[in-house]
Amino acid sequence: TLGDAVGAWRAITALDPTDIEAMNELARLLEMTGRWDELVQVLERQALALNVPEQRAAVLKRLLVVQRDYRADRQACLALLR
């Protein structure tokens, strides 16, 4: 099930919090299942782990869209833009 897959990818990211591929897969599954709060946490961790400015910017843009469109969190959006 998707829940089992989320649990498996979450376990992998717990073992290696810098595993970008695992974070990508976990984020994809969380988005598919509408688990927005958890997705925000993963995207925030992913943004911190990335060293390439273009990749980091892409993750922050995705985070902004999630905050705006699915969580309606204006304060979080403003904080991201600062």
Side-chain angles (χ1 to χ4, degrees):
T1 68
L2 284 176
D4 293 336
V6 167
W9 284 111
R10 181 165 288 141
I12 293 169
T13 62
L15 290 173
D16 183 0
T18 63
D19 187 333
I20 299 300
E21 182 181 343
M23 282 191 268
N24 283 335
E25 288 301 316
L26 179 56
R28 184 181 64 80
L29 291 171
L30 292 172
E31 188 168 9
M32 285 175 56
T33 56
R35 294 162 76 168
W36 308 117
D37 293 339
E38 294 172 74
L39 177 57
V40 164
Q41 292 173 1
V42 171
L43 293 175
E44 287 172 343
R45 284 195 335 249
Q46 191 174 21
L48 290 173
L50 288 168
N51 295 321
V52 178
E54 294 83 5
Q55 291 175 344
R56 188 169 190 271
V59 170
L60 290 173
K61 180 180 177 184
R62 185 175 177 197
L63 180 56
L64 182 64
V65 169
V66 170
Q67 294 285 31
R68 181 192 68 204
D69 295 348
Y70 299 102
R71 296 186 72 230
D73 189 338
R74 291 181 184 217
Q75 294 301 320
C77 289
L78 290 173
L80 282 169
L81 293 173
R82 291 184 185 145

